[in-house]
PDB file of all heavy atoms in Angstrom:
ATOM      1  N   ARG A   1     -94.955  -4.653 -58.808  1.00 85.00           N
ATOM      2  CA  ARG A   1     -93.790  -5.305 -59.400  1.00 85.00           C
ATOM      3  C   ARG A   1     -92.515  -4.554 -59.036  1.00 85.00           C
ATOM      4  O   ARG A   1     -91.495  -5.165 -58.725  1.00 85.00           O
ATOM      5  CB  ARG A   1     -93.962  -5.360 -60.922  1.00 85.00           C
ATOM      6  CG  ARG A   1     -92.784  -5.988 -61.645  1.00 85.00           C
ATOM      7  CD  ARG A   1     -93.066  -6.095 -63.132  1.00 85.00           C
ATOM      8  NE  ARG A   1     -91.856  -6.386 -63.884  1.00 85.00           N
ATOM      9  CZ  ARG A   1     -91.784  -6.427 -65.193  1.00 85.00           C
ATOM     10  NH1 ARG A   1     -92.872  -6.208 -65.913  1.00 85.00           N
ATOM     11  NH2 ARG A   1     -90.646  -6.687 -65.814  1.00 85.00           N
ATOM     12  N   ALA A   2     -92.572  -3.208 -59.047  1.00 82.00           N
ATOM     13  CA  ALA A   2     -91.397  -2.406 -58.701  1.00 82.00           C
ATOM     14  C   ALA A   2     -90.999  -2.619 -57.245  1.00 82.00           C
ATOM     15  O   ALA A   2     -89.802  -2.685 -56.920  1.00 82.00           O
ATOM     16  CB  ALA A   2     -91.681  -0.931 -58.965  1.00 82.00           C
ATOM     17  N   GLU A   3     -91.982  -2.718 -56.353  1.00 82.00           N
ATOM     18  CA  GLU A   3     -91.688  -2.957 -54.936  1.00 82.00           C
ATOM     19  C   GLU A   3     -91.020  -4.310 -54.747  1.00 82.00           C
ATOM     20  O   GLU A   3     -90.065  -4.457 -53.971  1.00 82.00           O
ATOM     21  CB  GLU A   3     -92.980  -2.879 -54.117  1.00 82.00           C
ATOM     22  CG  GLU A   3     -93.513  -1.463 -53.949  1.00 82.00           C
ATOM     23  CD  GLU A   3     -94.825  -1.428 -53.189  1.00 82.00           C
ATOM     24  OE1 GLU A   3     -95.443  -2.499 -53.024  1.00 82.00           O
ATOM     25  OE2 GLU A   3     -95.223  -0.334 -52.770  1.00 82.00           O
ATOM     26  N   ASN A   4     -91.532  -5.322 -55.467  1.00 84.00           N
ATOM     27  CA  ASN A   4     -90.928  -6.650 -55.374  1.00 84.00           C
ATOM     28  C   ASN A   4     -89.487  -6.631 -55.860  1.00 84.00           C
ATOM     29  O   ASN A   4     -88.589  -7.193 -55.219  1.00 84.00           O
ATOM     30  CB  ASN A   4     -91.732  -7.658 -56.201  1.00 84.00           C
ATOM     31  CG  ASN A   4     -93.093  -7.949 -55.601  1.00 84.00           C
ATOM     32  OD1 ASN A   4     -93.362  -7.612 -54.450  1.00 84.00           O
ATOM     33  ND2 ASN A   4     -93.970  -8.553 -56.373  1.00 84.00           N
ATOM     34  N   ASP A   5     -89.250  -5.957 -56.992  1.00 82.00           N
ATOM     35  CA  ASP A   5     -87.897  -5.899 -57.551  1.00 82.00           C
ATOM     36  C   ASP A   5     -86.955  -5.121 -56.649  1.00 82.00           C
ATOM     37  O   ASP A   5     -85.785  -5.474 -56.495  1.00 82.00           O
ATOM     38  CB  ASP A   5     -87.933  -5.265 -58.941  1.00 82.00           C
ATOM     39  CG  ASP A   5     -88.472  -6.215 -59.999  1.00 82.00           C
ATOM     40  OD1 ASP A   5     -88.757  -7.377 -59.647  1.00 82.00           O
ATOM     41  OD2 ASP A   5     -88.611  -5.798 -61.155  1.00 82.00           O
ATOM     42  N   ARG A   6     -87.470  -4.051 -56.054  1.00 78.00           N
ATOM     43  CA  ARG A   6     -86.644  -3.238 -55.151  1.00 78.00           C
ATOM     44  C   ARG A   6     -86.204  -4.066 -53.949  1.00 78.00           C
ATOM     45  O   ARG A   6     -85.045  -4.013 -53.523  1.00 78.00           O
ATOM     46  CB  ARG A   6     -87.413  -2.002 -54.689  1.00 78.00           C
ATOM     47  CG  ARG A   6     -86.627  -1.114 -53.736  1.00 78.00           C
ATOM     48  CD  ARG A   6     -87.426   0.099 -53.312  1.00 78.00           C
ATOM     49  NE  ARG A   6     -86.700   0.852 -52.314  1.00 78.00           N
ATOM     50  CZ  ARG A   6     -86.691   0.557 -51.019  1.00 78.00           C
ATOM     51  NH1 ARG A   6     -87.388  -0.468 -50.575  1.00 78.00           N
ATOM     52  NH2 ARG A   6     -85.992   1.279 -50.171  1.00 78.00           N
ATOM     53  N   PHE A   7     -87.134  -4.847 -53.389  1.00 82.00           N
ATOM     54  CA  PHE A   7     -86.768  -5.661 -52.232  1.00 82.00           C
ATOM     55  C   PHE A   7     -85.796  -6.773 -52.633  1.00 82.00           C
ATOM     56  O   PHE A   7     -84.869  -7.086 -51.890  1.00 82.00           O
ATOM     57  CB  PHE A   7     -88.018  -6.260 -51.581  1.00 82.00           C
ATOM     58  CG  PHE A   7     -87.707  -7.099 -50.371  1.00 82.00           C
ATOM     59  CD1 PHE A   7     -87.149  -6.524 -49.244  1.00 82.00           C
ATOM     60  CD2 PHE A   7     -87.929  -8.468 -50.377  1.00 82.00           C
ATOM     61  CE1 PHE A   7     -86.830  -7.286 -48.131  1.00 82.00           C
ATOM     62  CE2 PHE A   7     -87.625  -9.240 -49.267  1.00 82.00           C
ATOM     63  CZ  PHE A   7     -87.070  -8.645 -48.150  1.00 82.00           C
ATOM     64  N   ARG A   8     -85.997  -7.354 -53.808  1.00 83.00           N
ATOM     65  CA  ARG A   8     -85.040  -8.365 -54.280  1.00 83.00           C
ATOM     66  C   ARG A   8     -83.631  -7.767 -54.360  1.00 83.00           C
ATOM     67  O   ARG A   8     -82.648  -8.414 -54.027  1.00 83.00           O
ATOM     68  CB  ARG A   8     -85.452  -8.881 -55.667  1.00 83.00           C
ATOM     69  CG  ARG A   8     -86.646  -9.820 -55.660  1.00 83.00           C
ATOM     70  CD  ARG A   8     -86.823 -10.483 -57.015  1.00 83.00           C
ATOM     71  NE  ARG A   8     -88.039 -11.253 -57.049  1.00 83.00           N
ATOM     72  CZ  ARG A   8     -89.201 -10.819 -57.509  1.00 83.00           C
ATOM     73  NH1 ARG A   8     -89.285  -9.574 -57.982  1.00 83.00           N
ATOM     74  NH2 ARG A   8     -90.272 -11.579 -57.505  1.00 83.00           N
ATOM     75  N   GLU A   9     -83.554  -6.519 -54.819  1.00 78.00           N
ATOM     76  CA  GLU A   9     -82.255  -5.851 -54.916  1.00 78.00           C
ATOM     77  C   GLU A   9     -81.655  -5.628 -53.535  1.00 78.00           C
ATOM     78  O   GLU A   9     -80.447  -5.807 -53.326  1.00 78.00           O
ATOM     79  CB  GLU A   9     -82.421  -4.521 -55.650  1.00 78.00           C
ATOM     80  CG  GLU A   9     -81.144  -3.727 -55.827  1.00 78.00           C
ATOM     81  CD  GLU A   9     -80.143  -4.377 -56.755  1.00 78.00           C
ATOM     82  OE1 GLU A   9     -80.547  -5.252 -57.551  1.00 78.00           O
ATOM     83  OE2 GLU A   9     -78.950  -4.026 -56.673  1.00 78.00           O
ATOM     84  N   LEU A  10     -82.491  -5.264 -52.567  1.00 77.00           N
ATOM     85  CA  LEU A  10     -82.010  -5.016 -51.216  1.00 77.00           C
ATOM     86  C   LEU A  10     -81.404  -6.260 -50.580  1.00 77.00           C
ATOM     87  O   LEU A  10     -80.422  -6.191 -49.845  1.00 77.00           O
ATOM     88  CB  LEU A  10     -83.152  -4.500 -50.330  1.00 77.00           C
ATOM     89  CG  LEU A  10     -83.483  -3.013 -50.398  1.00 77.00           C
ATOM     90  CD1 LEU A  10     -84.735  -2.732 -49.579  1.00 77.00           C
ATOM     91  CD2 LEU A  10     -82.330  -2.166 -49.895  1.00 77.00           C
ATOM     92  N   ILE A  11     -82.013  -7.415 -50.861  1.00 81.00           N
ATOM     93  CA  ILE A  11     -81.549  -8.649 -50.206  1.00 81.00           C
ATOM     94  C   ILE A  11     -80.638  -9.469 -51.108  1.00 81.00           C
ATOM     95  O   ILE A  11     -80.328 -10.611 -50.804  1.00 81.00           O
ATOM     96  CB  ILE A  11     -82.732  -9.521 -49.728  1.00 81.00           C
ATOM     97  CG1 ILE A  11     -83.574  -9.982 -50.917  1.00 81.00           C
ATOM     98  CG2 ILE A  11     -83.568  -8.800 -48.699  1.00 81.00           C
ATOM     99  CD1 ILE A  11     -84.570 -11.082 -50.568  1.00 81.00           C
ATOM    100  N   ARG A  12     -80.216  -8.860 -52.213  1.00 75.00           N
ATOM    101  CA  ARG A  12     -79.298  -9.560 -53.103  1.00 75.00           C
ATOM    102  C   ARG A  12     -78.052  -9.959 -52.323  1.00 75.00           C
ATOM    103  O   ARG A  12     -77.414  -9.139 -51.685  1.00 75.00           O
ATOM    104  CB  ARG A  12     -78.911  -8.649 -54.278  1.00 75.00           C
ATOM    105  CG  ARG A  12     -77.974  -9.305 -55.280  1.00 75.00           C
ATOM    106  CD  ARG A  12     -77.689  -8.389 -56.443  1.00 75.00           C
ATOM    107  NE  ARG A  12     -77.134  -7.103 -56.037  1.00 75.00           N
ATOM    108  CZ  ARG A  12     -76.484  -6.298 -56.867  1.00 75.00           C
ATOM    109  NH1 ARG A  12     -76.324  -6.620 -58.115  1.00 75.00           N
ATOM    110  NH2 ARG A  12     -76.009  -5.144 -56.433  1.00 75.00           N
ATOM    111  N   GLY A  13     -77.717 -11.218 -52.374  1.00 73.00           N
ATOM    112  CA  GLY A  13     -76.532 -11.693 -51.674  1.00 73.00           C
ATOM    113  C   GLY A  13     -76.784 -12.116 -50.230  1.00 73.00           C
ATOM    114  O   GLY A  13     -75.863 -12.581 -49.555  1.00 73.00           O
ATOM    115  N   ALA A  14     -78.018 -11.944 -49.732  1.00 83.00           N
ATOM    116  CA  ALA A  14     -78.327 -12.347 -48.351  1.00 83.00           C
ATOM    117  C   ALA A  14     -78.271 -13.867 -48.228  1.00 83.00           C
ATOM    118  O   ALA A  14     -78.639 -14.599 -49.151  1.00 83.00           O
ATOM    119  CB  ALA A  14     -79.703 -11.838 -47.939  1.00 83.00           C
ATOM    120  N   THR A  15     -77.819 -14.352 -47.082  1.00 88.00           N
ATOM    121  CA  THR A  15     -77.747 -15.794 -46.850  1.00 88.00           C
ATOM    122  C   THR A  15     -79.143 -16.361 -46.625  1.00 88.00           C
ATOM    123  O   THR A  15     -80.078 -15.628 -46.282  1.00 88.00           O
ATOM    124  CB  THR A  15     -76.890 -16.101 -45.619  1.00 88.00           C
ATOM    125  OG1 THR A  15     -77.546 -15.564 -44.454  1.00 88.00           O
ATOM    126  CG2 THR A  15     -75.507 -15.490 -45.745  1.00 88.00           C
ATOM    127  N   PRO A  16     -79.331 -17.686 -46.800  1.00 92.00           N
ATOM    128  CA  PRO A  16     -80.649 -18.288 -46.550  1.00 92.00           C
ATOM    129  C   PRO A  16     -81.186 -17.963 -45.165  1.00 92.00           C
ATOM    130  O   PRO A  16     -82.373 -17.646 -45.013  1.00 92.00           O
ATOM    131  CB  PRO A  16     -80.391 -19.784 -46.721  1.00 92.00           C
ATOM    132  CG  PRO A  16     -79.262 -19.850 -47.700  1.00 92.00           C
ATOM    133  CD  PRO A  16     -78.385 -18.674 -47.369  1.00 92.00           C
ATOM    134  N   HIS A  17     -80.329 -17.995 -44.141  1.00 95.00           N
ATOM    135  CA  HIS A  17     -80.835 -17.762 -42.778  1.00 95.00           C
ATOM    136  C   HIS A  17     -81.170 -16.285 -42.539  1.00 95.00           C
ATOM    137  O   HIS A  17     -82.043 -15.975 -41.721  1.00 95.00           O
ATOM    138  CB  HIS A  17     -79.837 -18.296 -41.752  1.00 95.00           C
ATOM    139  CG  HIS A  17     -79.884 -19.787 -41.619  1.00 95.00           C
ATOM    140  ND1 HIS A  17     -80.765 -20.434 -40.780  1.00 95.00           N
ATOM    141  CD2 HIS A  17     -79.197 -20.755 -42.266  1.00 95.00           C
ATOM    142  CE1 HIS A  17     -80.600 -21.748 -40.887  1.00 95.00           C
ATOM    143  NE2 HIS A  17     -79.654 -21.961 -41.791  1.00 95.00           N
ATOM    144  N   SER A  18     -80.508 -15.379 -43.239  1.00 93.00           N
ATOM    145  CA  SER A  18     -80.930 -13.974 -43.183  1.00 93.00           C
ATOM    146  C   SER A  18     -82.346 -13.844 -43.724  1.00 93.00           C
ATOM    147  O   SER A  18     -83.182 -13.121 -43.172  1.00 93.00           O
ATOM    148  CB  SER A  18     -79.981 -13.096 -44.009  1.00 93.00           C
ATOM    149  OG  SER A  18     -78.749 -12.936 -43.369  1.00 93.00           O
ATOM    150  N   LYS A  19     -82.614 -14.560 -44.803  1.00 93.00           N
ATOM    151  CA  LYS A  19     -83.945 -14.531 -45.404  1.00 93.00           C
ATOM    152  C   LYS A  19     -84.978 -15.188 -44.491  1.00 93.00           C
ATOM    153  O   LYS A  19     -86.115 -14.715 -44.399  1.00 93.00           O
ATOM    154  CB  LYS A  19     -83.920 -15.209 -46.770  1.00 93.00           C
ATOM    155  CG  LYS A  19     -83.060 -14.469 -47.787  1.00 93.00           C
ATOM    156  CD  LYS A  19     -83.020 -15.192 -49.126  1.00 93.00           C
ATOM    157  CE  LYS A  19     -82.136 -14.454 -50.118  1.00 93.00           C
ATOM    158  NZ  LYS A  19     -82.061 -15.150 -51.422  1.00 93.00           N
ATOM    159  N   TYR A  20     -84.586 -16.255 -43.803  1.00 94.00           N
ATOM    160  CA  TYR A  20     -85.518 -16.898 -42.870  1.00 94.00           C
ATOM    161  C   TYR A  20     -85.881 -15.932 -41.740  1.00 94.00           C
ATOM    162  O   TYR A  20     -87.044 -15.861 -41.311  1.00 94.00           O
ATOM    163  CB  TYR A  20     -84.903 -18.170 -42.274  1.00 94.00           C
ATOM    164  CG  TYR A  20     -84.556 -19.249 -43.274  1.00 94.00           C
ATOM    165  CD1 TYR A  20     -83.630 -20.248 -42.958  1.00 94.00           C
ATOM    166  CD2 TYR A  20     -85.137 -19.284 -44.538  1.00 94.00           C
ATOM    167  CE1 TYR A  20     -83.289 -21.240 -43.866  1.00 94.00           C
ATOM    168  CE2 TYR A  20     -84.804 -20.274 -45.453  1.00 94.00           C
ATOM    169  CZ  TYR A  20     -83.877 -21.245 -45.111  1.00 94.00           C
ATOM    170  OH  TYR A  20     -83.548 -22.233 -46.011  1.00 94.00           O
ATOM    171  N   ALA A  21     -84.881 -15.181 -41.252  1.00 94.00           N
ATOM    172  CA  ALA A  21     -85.134 -14.228 -40.162  1.00 94.00           C
ATOM    173  C   ALA A  21     -86.064 -13.105 -40.640  1.00 94.00           C
ATOM    174  O   ALA A  21     -86.976 -12.685 -39.909  1.00 94.00           O
ATOM    175  CB  ALA A  21     -83.808 -13.653 -39.648  1.00 94.00           C
ATOM    176  N   LEU A  22     -85.841 -12.623 -41.856  1.00 94.00           N
ATOM    177  CA  LEU A  22     -86.719 -11.583 -42.409  1.00 94.00           C
ATOM    178  C   LEU A  22     -88.124 -12.116 -42.637  1.00 94.00           C
ATOM    179  O   LEU A  22     -89.115 -11.415 -42.405  1.00 94.00           O
ATOM    180  CB  LEU A  22     -86.138 -11.064 -43.725  1.00 94.00           C
ATOM    181  CG  LEU A  22     -84.903 -10.174 -43.629  1.00 94.00           C
ATOM    182  CD1 LEU A  22     -84.387  -9.835 -45.020  1.00 94.00           C
ATOM    183  CD2 LEU A  22     -85.202  -8.899 -42.852  1.00 94.00           C
ATOM    184  N   GLN A  23     -88.203 -13.358 -43.083  1.00 94.00           N
ATOM    185  CA  GLN A  23     -89.515 -13.971 -43.282  1.00 94.00           C
ATOM    186  C   GLN A  23     -90.264 -14.075 -41.954  1.00 94.00           C
ATOM    187  O   GLN A  23     -91.478 -13.833 -41.890  1.00 94.00           O
ATOM    188  CB  GLN A  23     -89.352 -15.353 -43.915  1.00 94.00           C
ATOM    189  CG  GLN A  23     -90.661 -15.979 -44.382  1.00 94.00           C
ATOM    190  CD  GLN A  23     -90.432 -17.293 -45.126  1.00 94.00           C
ATOM    191  OE1 GLN A  23     -89.376 -17.493 -45.731  1.00 94.00           O
ATOM    192  NE2 GLN A  23     -91.404 -18.181 -45.067  1.00 94.00           N
ATOM    193  N   ALA A  24     -89.544 -14.407 -40.902  1.00 95.00           N
ATOM    194  CA  ALA A  24     -90.154 -14.494 -39.578  1.00 95.00           C
ATOM    195  C   ALA A  24     -90.706 -13.135 -39.149  1.00 95.00           C
ATOM    196  O   ALA A  24     -91.826 -13.039 -38.624  1.00 95.00           O
ATOM    197  CB  ALA A  24     -89.129 -14.998 -38.564  1.00 95.00           C
ATOM    198  N   LEU A  25     -89.934 -12.072 -39.392  1.00 95.00           N
ATOM    199  CA  LEU A  25     -90.376 -10.728 -39.025  1.00 95.00           C
ATOM    200  C   LEU A  25     -91.582 -10.307 -39.875  1.00 95.00           C
ATOM    201  O   LEU A  25     -92.500  -9.649 -39.377  1.00 95.00           O
ATOM    202  CB  LEU A  25     -89.218  -9.739 -39.204  1.00 95.00           C
ATOM    203  CG  LEU A  25     -89.399  -8.337 -38.632  1.00 95.00           C
ATOM    204  CD1 LEU A  25     -89.861  -8.360 -37.177  1.00 95.00           C
ATOM    205  CD2 LEU A  25     -88.097  -7.552 -38.764  1.00 95.00           C
ATOM    206  N   ALA A  26     -91.605 -10.719 -41.133  1.00 93.00           N
ATOM    207  CA  ALA A  26     -92.749 -10.410 -42.004  1.00 93.00           C
ATOM    208  C   ALA A  26     -94.002 -11.133 -41.522  1.00 93.00           C
ATOM    209  O   ALA A  26     -95.095 -10.557 -41.500  1.00 93.00           O
ATOM    210  CB  ALA A  26     -92.425 -10.797 -43.442  1.00 93.00           C
ATOM    211  N   ILE A  27     -93.846 -12.394 -41.127  1.00 94.00           N
ATOM    212  CA  ILE A  27     -94.988 -13.168 -40.623  1.00 94.00           C
ATOM    213  C   ILE A  27     -95.555 -12.525 -39.362  1.00 94.00           C
ATOM    214  O   ILE A  27     -96.774 -12.365 -39.217  1.00 94.00           O
ATOM    215  CB  ILE A  27     -94.560 -14.632 -40.350  1.00 94.00           C
ATOM    216  CG1 ILE A  27     -94.262 -15.356 -41.664  1.00 94.00           C
ATOM    217  CG2 ILE A  27     -95.641 -15.375 -39.560  1.00 94.00           C
ATOM    218  CD1 ILE A  27     -93.587 -16.702 -41.489  1.00 94.00           C
ATOM    219  N   LEU A  28     -94.671 -12.131 -38.447  1.00 94.00           N
ATOM    220  CA  LEU A  28     -95.119 -11.459 -37.221  1.00 94.00           C
ATOM    221  C   LEU A  28     -95.856 -10.163 -37.538  1.00 94.00           C
ATOM    222  O   LEU A  28     -96.887  -9.854 -36.937  1.00 94.00           O
ATOM    223  CB  LEU A  28     -93.915 -11.168 -36.328  1.00 94.00           C
ATOM    224  CG  LEU A  28     -93.356 -12.332 -35.509  1.00 94.00           C
ATOM    225  CD1 LEU A  28     -92.014 -11.956 -34.897  1.00 94.00           C
ATOM    226  CD2 LEU A  28     -94.341 -12.732 -34.403  1.00 94.00           C
ATOM    227  N   SER A  29     -95.334  -9.402 -38.498  1.00 94.00           N
ATOM    228  CA  SER A  29     -95.939  -8.118 -38.859  1.00 94.00           C
ATOM    229  C   SER A  29     -97.325  -8.315 -39.468  1.00 94.00           C
ATOM    230  O   SER A  29     -98.254  -7.545 -39.193  1.00 94.00           O
ATOM    231  CB  SER A  29     -95.042  -7.371 -39.841  1.00 94.00           C
ATOM    232  OG  SER A  29     -93.769  -7.126 -39.277  1.00 94.00           O
TER     233      SER A  29
END
Protein backbone atom coordinates (compact mmCIF):
# COMPACT_ATOMS: atom_id res chain seq x y z
CA ARG A 1 0.00 0.00 0.00
CA ALA A 2 2.87 2.39 0.83
CA GLU A 3 4.53 1.70 -2.54
CA ASN A 4 1.26 2.40 -4.34
CA ASP A 5 0.76 5.66 -2.44
CA ARG A 6 4.35 6.73 -3.02
CA PHE A 7 4.00 6.25 -6.77
CA ARG A 8 0.67 8.09 -6.79
CA GLU A 9 2.48 11.00 -5.13
CA LEU A 10 5.27 10.89 -7.71
CA ILE A 11 2.86 11.15 -10.64
CA ARG A 12 0.54 13.65 -9.01
CA GLY A 13 -0.31 16.20 -11.66
CA ALA A 14 0.97 14.06 -14.57
CA THR A 15 -1.00 14.38 -17.81
CA PRO A 16 -2.99 11.39 -19.17
CA HIS A 17 -0.43 10.84 -21.94
CA SER A 18 2.46 10.90 -19.46
CA LYS A 19 0.64 8.11 -17.66
CA TYR A 20 0.07 6.22 -20.91
CA ALA A 21 3.82 6.40 -21.66
CA LEU A 22 4.67 5.13 -18.16
CA GLN A 23 2.12 2.37 -18.52
CA ALA A 24 3.76 1.34 -21.79
CA LEU A 25 7.17 1.18 -20.09
CA ALA A 26 5.66 -0.87 -17.23
CA ILE A 27 4.09 -3.32 -19.70
CA LEU A 28 7.42 -3.75 -21.50
CA SER A 29 9.22 -4.30 -18.19
